[in-house]
Amino acid sequence: MYEGIYAARDFVNMPPNELTPRKFADAISELLQGDTARVACMNKWAVEKLQMGGIIAVGKGSMNPPQVVTVYYEGDAESKEVLGLVGKGVTYDSGGLSLKSAANQEFMKDDMAGAATVVGVLRALMLLKYPVNIVAVLPLVENIPSGMAYHVDDIITMYNGLTVEVKNTDAEGRLILADALTYAQEKGATKLIDLATLTGACVTALGTVRTGMIGNQQEWMNTFFRIAEKNHEKIWQLPSDAAYDKALQSRVADLKNTGGREAGAITAGMFLKHFVHPSVPWLHLDIAGTAFQETPDETGYYGATGVGVKAILEVLRGGRSEG
């Protein structure tokens, strides 16, 4: 387990010039290729051919083109259950044309912590050899302003066909996650977990103590909450009333990519819900406050935490009995 946590931490702690989307994809391939895991990487042209509009748009501004890494862990050939793991992999987030302030750009190397957590889980599984099946989809991009960058007021056609009106280019994580969630279901996921350093609003609500959670099936959320708490990873369920969805309504597209400042962590999760089939149990973990320790703790530790690796591994270890 701890080798997985350390792998996640190491990736998050790397400087962004040393972990571009391509370099990250290559490192994942090298780390995870093995008897029980298969790694497939798609470059910019493959992503464009599939018309993954969210990933294409977010990656347009950077000279380092996007990559999508899919990892198949096959530990139980007789089971039809496949857990889909989707991790946000923004290797650096400047905010795009909706540029962050200089102060808010600090630590934005950690905006790929969701993808790093998924890699950590998979690395641990290769050593622990749990009898489970995983399909992991990792969209890797840089969100950088340039003459090629996507704009506020653009309308994007997503991989599942929904159209999205861009109201803020710094609400980019949900765009790449949405395409990845669709792709994970297409590749056979029967349950889904996505992890992302998604919103500053989650940090405002929960600080750096707890990870925010939204999902579509209460039993699945209860199971994860119980196991995470036992393993000292603190979670808090956010509301997902249908009324919050109104903030995402657009006059010119199916959705807007942001619902504004109010309830930002909730509306970000509600956006993702539109890309998950109602019959597929799904939960979204906003690790914006818990993925990176910006000041040293009482032990002197500083940096990436590897949050989520323990909880997910324990869910997989006890999944058959926990339901």
Side-chain angles (χ1 to χ4, degrees):
M1 177 184 290
Y2 287 99
E3 182 163 336
I5 294 171
Y6 296 147
R9 288 178 173 181
D10 286 346
F11 279 125
V12 177
N13 284 331
M14 287 183 71
N17 60 316
E18 293 296 330
L19 201 72
T20 61
R22 176 60 184 273
K23 290 179 179 179
F24 195 9
D26 289 346
I28 293 168
S29 297
E30 183 177 347
L31 183 67
L32 298 182
Q33 201 70 255
D35 294 338
T36 54
R38 293 185 293 113
V39 182
C41 297
M42 291 191 289
N43 60 21
K44 171 187 175 182
W45 294 276
V47 174
E48 288 177 345
K49 186 174 181 180
L50 285 177
Q51 298 182 323
M52 292 182 165
I55 297 170
I56 294 165
V58 176
K60 279 173 62 178
S62 175
M63 293 180 65
N64 295 303
Q67 307 278 314
V68 175
V69 179
T70 307
V71 185
Y72 304 90
Y73 175 85
E74 298 164 338
D76 187 353
E78 296 181 2
S79 175
K80 294 182 179 179
E81 293 185 11
V82 180
L83 177 62
L85 294 177
V86 173
K88 177 185 174 183
V90 179
T91 59
Y92 191 76
D93 180 21
S94 70
L97 292 179
S98 301
L99 190 67
K100 297 177 185 289
S101 68
N104 287 335
Q105 288 186 49
E106 190 177 9
F107 304 117
M108 280 298 100
K109 67 178 184 179
D110 77 354
D111 216 18
M112 37 60 68
T117 295
V118 174
V119 173
V121 169
L122 290 163
R123 179 58 184 161
L125 282 175
M126 292 177 71
L127 301 172
L128 295 168
K129 301 188 185 303
Y130 289 172
V132 295
N133 300 317
I134 306 288
V135 56
V137 182
L138 307 174
L140 311 179
V141 301
E142 279 187 340
N143 187 25
I144 301 291
S146 76
M148 294 295 294
Y150 78 127
H151 319 89
V152 173
D153 289 337
D154 280 358
I155 296 178
I156 299 167
T157 301
M158 305 294 287
Y159 184 49
N160 73 344
L162 288 178
T163 56
V164 175
E165 179 188 8
V166 177
K167 300 311 293 181
N168 188 326
T169 66
D170 195 23
E172 86 295 335
R174 66 203 70 185
L175 295 175
I176 67 170
L177 287 170
D179 280 348
L181 285 166
T182 302
Y183 192 67
Q185 291 166 92
E186 187 177 282
K187 292 300 176 182
T190 57
K191 281 187 175 181
L192 285 166
I193 298 174
D194 78 74
L195 303 99
T197 48
L198 203 61
T199 64
C202 193
V203 184
T204 300
L206 301 177
T208 60
V209 177
R210 288 185 179 267
T211 292
M213 177 175 68
I214 281 179
N216 64 353
Q217 292 195 15
Q218 192 62 49
E219 184 179 353
W220 181 217
M221 288 189 285
N222 289 347
T223 295
F224 192 87
F225 179 88
R226 182 170 62 252
I227 292 173
E229 289 282 314
K230 281 184 179 179
N231 287 276
H232 310 290
E233 291 199 338
K234 294 181 178 294
I235 308 290
W236 199 253
Q237 183 177 337
L238 300 171
S240 55
D241 307 53
Y244 287 113
D245 217 25
K246 294 179 181 178
L248 298 171
Q249 292 177 356
S250 168
R251 294 180 179 177
V252 294
D254 295 313
L255 295 166
K256 293 188 294 187
N257 77 323
T258 176
R261 293 180 63 86
E262 293 184 2
I266 296 169
T267 55
M270 297 292 282
F271 178 90
L272 295 176
K273 189 176 180 180
H274 286 270
F275 299 86
V276 178
H277 193 279
S279 66
V280 177
W282 157 77
L283 60 87
H284 157 66
L285 301 174
D286 191 330
I287 59 173
T290 53
F292 196 88
Q293 203 158 283
E294 297 181 5
T295 56
D297 64 15
E298 62 276 8
T299 70
Y301 182 77
Y302 160 84
T305 64
V307 68
V309 174
K310 283 192 296 183
I312 293 172
L313 284 172
E314 286 301 308
V315 166
L316 289 168
R317 186 166 75 101
R320 294 179 182 233
S321 59
E322 290 282 355

